[in-house]
PDB file of all heavy atoms in Angstrom:
ATOM      1  N   GLU X   1     -38.319 206.185 -61.811  1.00  0.00           N
ATOM      2  CA  GLU X   1     -37.969 206.686 -60.477  1.00  0.00           C
ATOM      3  C   GLU X   1     -36.597 206.190 -60.021  1.00  0.00           C
ATOM      4  O   GLU X   1     -35.867 206.903 -59.348  1.00  0.00           O
ATOM      5  CB  GLU X   1     -39.027 206.260 -59.462  1.00  0.00           C
ATOM      6  CG  GLU X   1     -40.334 207.000 -59.628  1.00  0.00           C
ATOM      7  CD  GLU X   1     -41.447 206.457 -58.737  1.00  0.00           C
ATOM      8  OE1 GLU X   1     -41.169 205.582 -57.889  1.00  0.00           O
ATOM      9  OE2 GLU X   1     -42.583 206.904 -58.902  1.00  0.00           O
ATOM     10  N   ARG X   2     -36.245 204.963 -60.377  1.00  0.00           N
ATOM     11  CA  ARG X   2     -34.958 204.393 -59.964  1.00  0.00           C
ATOM     12  C   ARG X   2     -33.813 204.823 -60.869  1.00  0.00           C
ATOM     13  O   ARG X   2     -32.648 204.545 -60.608  1.00  0.00           O
ATOM     14  CB  ARG X   2     -35.035 202.865 -59.964  1.00  0.00           C
ATOM     15  CG  ARG X   2     -35.981 202.323 -58.935  1.00  0.00           C
ATOM     16  CD  ARG X   2     -36.106 200.838 -59.075  1.00  0.00           C
ATOM     17  NE  ARG X   2     -37.153 200.315 -58.224  1.00  0.00           N
ATOM     18  CZ  ARG X   2     -37.143 199.112 -57.682  1.00  0.00           C
ATOM     19  NH1 ARG X   2     -36.131 198.297 -57.886  1.00  0.00           N
ATOM     20  NH2 ARG X   2     -38.136 198.713 -56.934  1.00  0.00           N
ATOM     21  N   GLY X   3     -34.149 205.465 -61.977  1.00  0.00           N
ATOM     22  CA  GLY X   3     -33.117 205.921 -62.900  1.00  0.00           C
ATOM     23  C   GLY X   3     -32.418 204.792 -63.629  1.00  0.00           C
ATOM     24  O   GLY X   3     -31.246 204.896 -63.964  1.00  0.00           O
ATOM     25  N   ILE X   4     -33.160 203.718 -63.896  1.00  0.00           N
ATOM     26  CA  ILE X   4     -32.571 202.583 -64.620  1.00  0.00           C
ATOM     27  C   ILE X   4     -32.459 202.976 -66.086  1.00  0.00           C
ATOM     28  O   ILE X   4     -33.457 203.165 -66.769  1.00  0.00           O
ATOM     29  CB  ILE X   4     -33.436 201.318 -64.455  1.00  0.00           C
ATOM     30  CG1 ILE X   4     -33.521 200.932 -62.976  1.00  0.00           C
ATOM     31  CG2 ILE X   4     -32.864 200.169 -65.286  1.00  0.00           C
ATOM     32  CD1 ILE X   4     -34.497 199.809 -62.687  1.00  0.00           C
ATOM     33  N   GLY X   5     -31.244 203.108 -66.560  1.00  0.00           N
ATOM     34  CA  GLY X   5     -31.026 203.544 -67.935  1.00  0.00           C
ATOM     35  C   GLY X   5     -30.675 202.426 -68.888  1.00  0.00           C
ATOM     36  O   GLY X   5     -30.752 202.573 -70.105  1.00  0.00           O
ATOM     37  N   SER X   6     -30.275 201.271 -68.334  1.00  0.00           N
ATOM     38  CA  SER X   6     -29.841 200.175 -69.181  1.00  0.00           C
ATOM     39  C   SER X   6     -29.858 198.881 -68.383  1.00  0.00           C
ATOM     40  O   SER X   6     -29.708 198.901 -67.159  1.00  0.00           O
ATOM     41  CB  SER X   6     -28.422 200.437 -69.687  1.00  0.00           C
ATOM     42  OG  SER X   6     -27.907 199.315 -70.345  1.00  0.00           O
ATOM     43  N   LEU X   7     -30.041 197.790 -69.076  1.00  0.00           N
ATOM     44  CA  LEU X   7     -29.910 196.472 -68.474  1.00  0.00           C
ATOM     45  C   LEU X   7     -28.722 195.746 -69.089  1.00  0.00           C
ATOM     46  O   LEU X   7     -28.613 194.541 -69.005  1.00  0.00           O
ATOM     47  CB  LEU X   7     -31.189 195.649 -68.679  1.00  0.00           C
ATOM     48  CG  LEU X   7     -32.420 196.150 -67.945  1.00  0.00           C
ATOM     49  CD1 LEU X   7     -33.618 195.274 -68.274  1.00  0.00           C
ATOM     50  CD2 LEU X   7     -32.191 196.188 -66.455  1.00  0.00           C
ATOM     51  N   GLU X   8     -27.841 196.507 -69.714  1.00  0.00           N
ATOM     52  CA  GLU X   8     -26.669 195.926 -70.361  1.00  0.00           C
ATOM     53  C   GLU X   8     -25.613 195.585 -69.322  1.00  0.00           C
ATOM     54  O   GLU X   8     -25.220 196.435 -68.521  1.00  0.00           O
ATOM     55  CB  GLU X   8     -26.087 196.927 -71.356  1.00  0.00           C
ATOM     56  CG  GLU X   8     -24.898 196.417 -72.108  1.00  0.00           C
ATOM     57  CD  GLU X   8     -24.413 197.435 -73.116  1.00  0.00           C
ATOM     58  OE1 GLU X   8     -25.195 197.819 -73.997  1.00  0.00           O
ATOM     59  OE2 GLU X   8     -23.249 197.832 -73.011  1.00  0.00           O
ATOM     60  N   PRO X   9     -25.166 194.330 -69.288  1.00  0.00           N
ATOM     61  CA  PRO X   9     -24.116 193.976 -68.334  1.00  0.00           C
ATOM     62  C   PRO X   9     -22.820 194.721 -68.668  1.00  0.00           C
ATOM     63  O   PRO X   9     -22.426 194.809 -69.821  1.00  0.00           O
ATOM     64  CB  PRO X   9     -23.961 192.468 -68.503  1.00  0.00           C
ATOM     65  CG  PRO X   9     -24.637 192.128 -69.778  1.00  0.00           C
ATOM     66  CD  PRO X   9     -25.587 193.229 -70.104  1.00  0.00           C
ATOM     67  N   ARG X  10     -22.173 195.247 -67.687  1.00  0.00           N
ATOM     68  CA  ARG X  10     -20.957 196.040 -67.898  1.00  0.00           C
ATOM     69  C   ARG X  10     -19.796 195.265 -68.505  1.00  0.00           C
ATOM     70  O   ARG X  10     -19.076 195.810 -69.330  1.00  0.00           O
ATOM     71  CB  ARG X  10     -20.520 196.702 -66.592  1.00  0.00           C
ATOM     72  CG  ARG X  10     -21.522 197.722 -66.121  1.00  0.00           C
ATOM     73  CD  ARG X  10     -21.564 198.880 -67.103  1.00  0.00           C
ATOM     74  NE  ARG X  10     -22.707 199.721 -66.774  1.00  0.00           N
ATOM     75  CZ  ARG X  10     -23.543 200.216 -67.672  1.00  0.00           C
ATOM     76  NH1 ARG X  10     -23.387 199.977 -68.930  1.00  0.00           N
ATOM     77  NH2 ARG X  10     -24.538 200.975 -67.303  1.00  0.00           N
ATOM     78  N   PRO X  11     -19.550 194.013 -68.142  1.00  0.00           N
ATOM     79  CA  PRO X  11     -18.398 193.317 -68.733  1.00  0.00           C
ATOM     80  C   PRO X  11     -18.556 193.048 -70.228  1.00  0.00           C
ATOM     81  O   PRO X  11     -17.589 192.851 -70.924  1.00  0.00           O
ATOM     82  CB  PRO X  11     -18.326 191.991 -67.978  1.00  0.00           C
ATOM     83  CG  PRO X  11     -19.153 192.182 -66.761  1.00  0.00           C
ATOM     84  CD  PRO X  11     -20.166 193.225 -67.093  1.00  0.00           C
ATOM     85  N   ILE X  12     -19.781 193.044 -70.727  1.00  0.00           N
ATOM     86  CA  ILE X  12     -20.010 192.748 -72.135  1.00  0.00           C
ATOM     87  C   ILE X  12     -20.440 194.034 -72.825  1.00  0.00           C
ATOM     88  O   ILE X  12     -21.511 194.559 -72.568  1.00  0.00           O
ATOM     89  CB  ILE X  12     -21.096 191.671 -72.317  1.00  0.00           C
ATOM     90  CG1 ILE X  12     -20.684 190.398 -71.604  1.00  0.00           C
ATOM     91  CG2 ILE X  12     -21.374 191.419 -73.795  1.00  0.00           C
ATOM     92  CD1 ILE X  12     -21.761 189.327 -71.572  1.00  0.00           C
ATOM     93  N   ARG X  13     -19.623 194.541 -73.668  1.00  0.00           N
ATOM     94  CA  ARG X  13     -19.925 195.777 -74.394  1.00  0.00           C
ATOM     95  C   ARG X  13     -20.658 195.448 -75.690  1.00  0.00           C
ATOM     96  O   ARG X  13     -20.318 194.502 -76.400  1.00  0.00           O
ATOM     97  CB  ARG X  13     -18.653 196.545 -74.707  1.00  0.00           C
ATOM     98  CG  ARG X  13     -17.912 196.962 -73.470  1.00  0.00           C
ATOM     99  CD  ARG X  13     -18.682 198.061 -72.776  1.00  0.00           C
ATOM    100  NE  ARG X  13     -17.973 198.497 -71.602  1.00  0.00           N
ATOM    101  CZ  ARG X  13     -18.544 198.714 -70.434  1.00  0.00           C
ATOM    102  NH1 ARG X  13     -19.817 198.491 -70.275  1.00  0.00           N
ATOM    103  NH2 ARG X  13     -17.854 199.135 -69.421  1.00  0.00           N
ATOM    104  N   HIS X  14     -21.665 196.256 -75.995  1.00  0.00           N
ATOM    105  CA  HIS X  14     -22.484 195.994 -77.176  1.00  0.00           C
ATOM    106  C   HIS X  14     -21.692 196.062 -78.474  1.00  0.00           C
ATOM    107  O   HIS X  14     -22.058 195.449 -79.457  1.00  0.00           O
ATOM    108  CB  HIS X  14     -23.668 196.964 -77.217  1.00  0.00           C
ATOM    109  CG  HIS X  14     -23.295 198.362 -77.612  1.00  0.00           C
ATOM    110  ND1 HIS X  14     -22.812 199.264 -76.700  1.00  0.00           N
ATOM    111  CD2 HIS X  14     -23.325 198.986 -78.800  1.00  0.00           C
ATOM    112  CE1 HIS X  14     -22.569 200.402 -77.330  1.00  0.00           C
ATOM    113  NE2 HIS X  14     -22.863 200.266 -78.595  1.00  0.00           N
ATOM    114  N   ASN X  15     -20.604 196.803 -78.493  1.00  0.00           N
ATOM    115  CA  ASN X  15     -19.841 196.949 -79.739  1.00  0.00           C
ATOM    116  C   ASN X  15     -18.585 196.078 -79.784  1.00  0.00           C
ATOM    117  O   ASN X  15     -17.745 196.259 -80.648  1.00  0.00           O
ATOM    118  CB  ASN X  15     -19.484 198.417 -79.967  1.00  0.00           C
ATOM    119  CG  ASN X  15     -18.677 198.996 -78.823  1.00  0.00           C
ATOM    120  OD1 ASN X  15     -18.458 198.337 -77.816  1.00  0.00           O
ATOM    121  ND2 ASN X  15     -18.252 200.236 -78.974  1.00  0.00           N
ATOM    122  N   ALA X  16     -18.463 195.126 -78.857  1.00  0.00           N
ATOM    123  CA  ALA X  16     -17.312 194.218 -78.890  1.00  0.00           C
ATOM    124  C   ALA X  16     -17.379 193.388 -80.170  1.00  0.00           C
ATOM    125  O   ALA X  16     -18.446 192.905 -80.547  1.00  0.00           O
ATOM    126  CB  ALA X  16     -17.313 193.304 -77.668  1.00  0.00           C
ATOM    127  N   PRO X  17     -16.264 193.208 -80.867  1.00  0.00           N
ATOM    128  CA  PRO X  17     -16.278 192.533 -82.166  1.00  0.00           C
ATOM    129  C   PRO X  17     -16.866 191.126 -82.152  1.00  0.00           C
ATOM    130  O   PRO X  17     -17.471 190.709 -83.131  1.00  0.00           O
ATOM    131  CB  PRO X  17     -14.803 192.483 -82.561  1.00  0.00           C
ATOM    132  CG  PRO X  17     -14.144 193.533 -81.762  1.00  0.00           C
ATOM    133  CD  PRO X  17     -14.938 193.677 -80.505  1.00  0.00           C
ATOM    134  N   LEU X  18     -16.730 190.401 -81.067  1.00  0.00           N
ATOM    135  CA  LEU X  18     -17.199 189.016 -81.052  1.00  0.00           C
ATOM    136  C   LEU X  18     -18.661 188.860 -80.642  1.00  0.00           C
ATOM    137  O   LEU X  18     -19.175 187.751 -80.612  1.00  0.00           O
ATOM    138  CB  LEU X  18     -16.318 188.182 -80.115  1.00  0.00           C
ATOM    139  CG  LEU X  18     -14.858 188.070 -80.533  1.00  0.00           C
ATOM    140  CD1 LEU X  18     -14.067 187.294 -79.495  1.00  0.00           C
ATOM    141  CD2 LEU X  18     -14.729 187.411 -81.896  1.00  0.00           C
ATOM    142  N   THR X  19     -19.343 189.959 -80.308  1.00  0.00           N
ATOM    143  CA  THR X  19     -20.727 189.832 -79.853  1.00  0.00           C
ATOM    144  C   THR X  19     -21.729 189.706 -80.985  1.00  0.00           C
ATOM    145  O   THR X  19     -22.847 189.259 -80.757  1.00  0.00           O
ATOM    146  CB  THR X  19     -21.135 191.015 -78.962  1.00  0.00           C
ATOM    147  OG1 THR X  19     -20.984 192.229 -79.697  1.00  0.00           O
ATOM    148  CG2 THR X  19     -20.307 191.053 -77.693  1.00  0.00           C
ATOM    149  N   ALA X  20     -21.362 190.091 -82.194  1.00  0.00           N
ATOM    150  CA  ALA X  20     -22.294 189.986 -83.326  1.00  0.00           C
ATOM    151  C   ALA X  20     -21.559 190.201 -84.634  1.00  0.00           C
ATOM    152  O   ALA X  20     -20.506 190.841 -84.672  1.00  0.00           O
ATOM    153  CB  ALA X  20     -23.412 191.018 -83.213  1.00  0.00           C
ATOM    154  N   ARG X  21     -22.149 189.666 -85.680  1.00  0.00           N
ATOM    155  CA  ARG X  21     -21.593 189.892 -87.021  1.00  0.00           C
ATOM    156  C   ARG X  21     -21.724 191.370 -87.377  1.00  0.00           C
ATOM    157  O   ARG X  21     -22.716 192.011 -87.041  1.00  0.00           O
ATOM    158  CB  ARG X  21     -22.371 189.062 -88.036  1.00  0.00           C
ATOM    159  CG  ARG X  21     -22.171 187.600 -87.891  1.00  0.00           C
ATOM    160  CD  ARG X  21     -23.020 186.774 -88.818  1.00  0.00           C
ATOM    161  NE  ARG X  21     -23.584 187.487 -89.954  1.00  0.00           N
ATOM    162  CZ  ARG X  21     -24.460 186.945 -90.784  1.00  0.00           C
ATOM    163  NH1 ARG X  21     -24.856 185.705 -90.618  1.00  0.00           N
ATOM    164  NH2 ARG X  21     -24.940 187.629 -91.785  1.00  0.00           N
ATOM    165  N   PRO X  22     -20.757 191.940 -88.056  1.00  0.00           N
ATOM    166  CA  PRO X  22     -20.811 193.364 -88.408  1.00  0.00           C
ATOM    167  C   PRO X  22     -22.054 193.744 -89.206  1.00  0.00           C
ATOM    168  O   PRO X  22     -22.603 194.824 -89.024  1.00  0.00           O
ATOM    169  CB  PRO X  22     -19.540 193.577 -89.240  1.00  0.00           C
ATOM    170  CG  PRO X  22     -18.613 192.500 -88.806  1.00  0.00           C
ATOM    171  CD  PRO X  22     -19.486 191.325 -88.463  1.00  0.00           C
ATOM    172  N   ASP X  23     -22.529 192.860 -90.084  1.00  0.00           N
ATOM    173  CA  ASP X  23     -23.692 193.201 -90.900  1.00  0.00           C
ATOM    174  C   ASP X  23     -25.003 193.165 -90.111  1.00  0.00           C
ATOM    175  O   ASP X  23     -26.041 193.550 -90.623  1.00  0.00           O
ATOM    176  CB  ASP X  23     -23.784 192.298 -92.132  1.00  0.00           C
ATOM    177  CG  ASP X  23     -23.834 190.818 -91.790  1.00  0.00           C
ATOM    178  OD1 ASP X  23     -23.155 190.404 -90.832  1.00  0.00           O
ATOM    179  OD2 ASP X  23     -24.548 190.085 -92.485  1.00  0.00           O
ATOM    180  N   PHE X  24     -24.969 192.712 -88.859  1.00  0.00           N
ATOM    181  CA  PHE X  24     -26.156 192.715 -88.015  1.00  0.00           C
ATOM    182  C   PHE X  24     -26.236 193.974 -87.149  1.00  0.00           C
ATOM    183  O   PHE X  24     -27.187 194.160 -86.428  1.00  0.00           O
ATOM    184  CB  PHE X  24     -26.170 191.490 -87.102  1.00  0.00           C
ATOM    185  CG  PHE X  24     -26.741 190.259 -87.748  1.00  0.00           C
ATOM    186  CD1 PHE X  24     -26.767 190.101 -89.119  1.00  0.00           C
ATOM    187  CD2 PHE X  24     -27.253 189.245 -86.966  1.00  0.00           C
ATOM    188  CE1 PHE X  24     -27.277 188.960 -89.701  1.00  0.00           C
ATOM    189  CE2 PHE X  24     -27.769 188.093 -87.547  1.00  0.00           C
ATOM    190  CZ  PHE X  24     -27.786 187.953 -88.920  1.00  0.00           C
ATOM    191  N   ARG X  25     -25.214 194.815 -87.196  1.00  0.00           N
ATOM    192  CA  ARG X  25     -25.177 196.005 -86.352  1.00  0.00           C
ATOM    193  C   ARG X  25     -25.889 197.182 -87.019  1.00  0.00           C
ATOM    194  O   ARG X  25     -25.778 197.403 -88.207  1.00  0.00           O
ATOM    195  CB  ARG X  25     -23.737 196.396 -86.052  1.00  0.00           C
ATOM    196  CG  ARG X  25     -23.016 195.364 -85.233  1.00  0.00           C
ATOM    197  CD  ARG X  25     -21.656 195.890 -84.799  1.00  0.00           C
ATOM    198  NE  ARG X  25     -20.935 194.841 -84.112  1.00  0.00           N
ATOM    199  CZ  ARG X  25     -21.157 194.479 -82.861  1.00  0.00           C
ATOM    200  NH1 ARG X  25     -22.071 195.083 -82.158  1.00  0.00           N
ATOM    201  NH2 ARG X  25     -20.468 193.510 -82.313  1.00  0.00           N
ATOM    202  N   GLY X  26     -26.590 197.934 -86.178  1.00  0.00           N
ATOM    203  CA  GLY X  26     -27.226 199.155 -86.646  1.00  0.00           C
ATOM    204  C   GLY X  26     -26.233 200.297 -86.654  1.00  0.00           C
ATOM    205  O   GLY X  26     -25.060 200.131 -86.292  1.00  0.00           O
ATOM    206  N   GLN X  27     -26.695 201.471 -87.025  1.00  0.00           N
ATOM    207  CA  GLN X  27     -25.805 202.629 -87.078  1.00  0.00           C
ATOM    208  C   GLN X  27     -25.270 203.017 -85.703  1.00  0.00           C
ATOM    209  O   GLN X  27     -24.224 203.624 -85.591  1.00  0.00           O
ATOM    210  CB  GLN X  27     -26.532 203.809 -87.701  1.00  0.00           C
ATOM    211  CG  GLN X  27     -26.818 203.606 -89.169  1.00  0.00           C
ATOM    212  CD  GLN X  27     -27.526 204.791 -89.775  1.00  0.00           C
ATOM    213  OE1 GLN X  27     -27.872 205.741 -89.101  1.00  0.00           O
ATOM    214  NE2 GLN X  27     -27.754 204.737 -91.080  1.00  0.00           N
ATOM    215  N   ASN X  28     -26.002 202.650 -84.638  1.00  0.00           N
ATOM    216  CA  ASN X  28     -25.559 202.992 -83.285  1.00  0.00           C
ATOM    217  C   ASN X  28     -24.586 201.963 -82.720  1.00  0.00           C
ATOM    218  O   ASN X  28     -24.143 202.081 -81.587  1.00  0.00           O
ATOM    219  CB  ASN X  28     -26.751 203.150 -82.354  1.00  0.00           C
ATOM    220  CG  ASN X  28     -27.563 201.877 -82.234  1.00  0.00           C
ATOM    221  OD1 ASN X  28     -27.191 200.827 -82.753  1.00  0.00           O
ATOM    222  ND2 ASN X  28     -28.686 201.963 -81.561  1.00  0.00           N
ATOM    223  N   GLY X  29     -24.271 200.918 -83.491  1.00  0.00           N
ATOM    224  CA  GLY X  29     -23.324 199.903 -83.053  1.00  0.00           C
ATOM    225  C   GLY X  29     -23.947 198.697 -82.391  1.00  0.00           C
ATOM    226  O   GLY X  29     -23.303 197.682 -82.205  1.00  0.00           O
ATOM    227  N   TYR X  30     -25.212 198.792 -82.013  1.00  0.00           N
ATOM    228  CA  TYR X  30     -25.883 197.666 -81.376  1.00  0.00           C
ATOM    229  C   TYR X  30     -26.241 196.611 -82.409  1.00  0.00           C
ATOM    230  O   TYR X  30     -26.639 196.926 -83.531  1.00  0.00           O
ATOM    231  CB  TYR X  30     -27.164 198.111 -80.668  1.00  0.00           C
ATOM    232  CG  TYR X  30     -26.916 198.779 -79.352  1.00  0.00           C
ATOM    233  CD1 TYR X  30     -26.652 200.136 -79.276  1.00  0.00           C
ATOM    234  CD2 TYR X  30     -26.938 198.044 -78.178  1.00  0.00           C
ATOM    235  CE1 TYR X  30     -26.416 200.752 -78.068  1.00  0.00           C
ATOM    236  CE2 TYR X  30     -26.711 198.650 -76.965  1.00  0.00           C
ATOM    237  CZ  TYR X  30     -26.455 200.000 -76.912  1.00  0.00           C
ATOM    238  OH  TYR X  30     -26.221 200.594 -75.709  1.00  0.00           O
ATOM    239  N   ALA X  31     -26.103 195.360 -82.025  1.00  0.00           N
ATOM    240  CA  ALA X  31     -26.459 194.258 -82.913  1.00  0.00           C
ATOM    241  C   ALA X  31     -27.973 194.099 -82.958  1.00  0.00           C
ATOM    242  O   ALA X  31     -28.628 194.078 -81.924  1.00  0.00           O
ATOM    243  CB  ALA X  31     -25.818 192.966 -82.425  1.00  0.00           C
ATOM    244  N   ALA X  32     -28.494 194.022 -84.145  1.00  0.00           N
ATOM    245  CA  ALA X  32     -29.915 193.738 -84.359  1.00  0.00           C
ATOM    246  C   ALA X  32     -30.798 194.616 -83.492  1.00  0.00           C
ATOM    247  O   ALA X  32     -31.701 194.143 -82.814  1.00  0.00           O
ATOM    248  CB  ALA X  32     -30.184 192.258 -84.107  1.00  0.00           C
TER     249      ALA X  32
END
């Protein structure tokens, strides 16, 4: 009802290079 689509904080992007090792990322770019 509230239209909550994500709980991802805006300043931290899921595909930022320093957020996870490349081999831990799925095809969608999200880590683990």
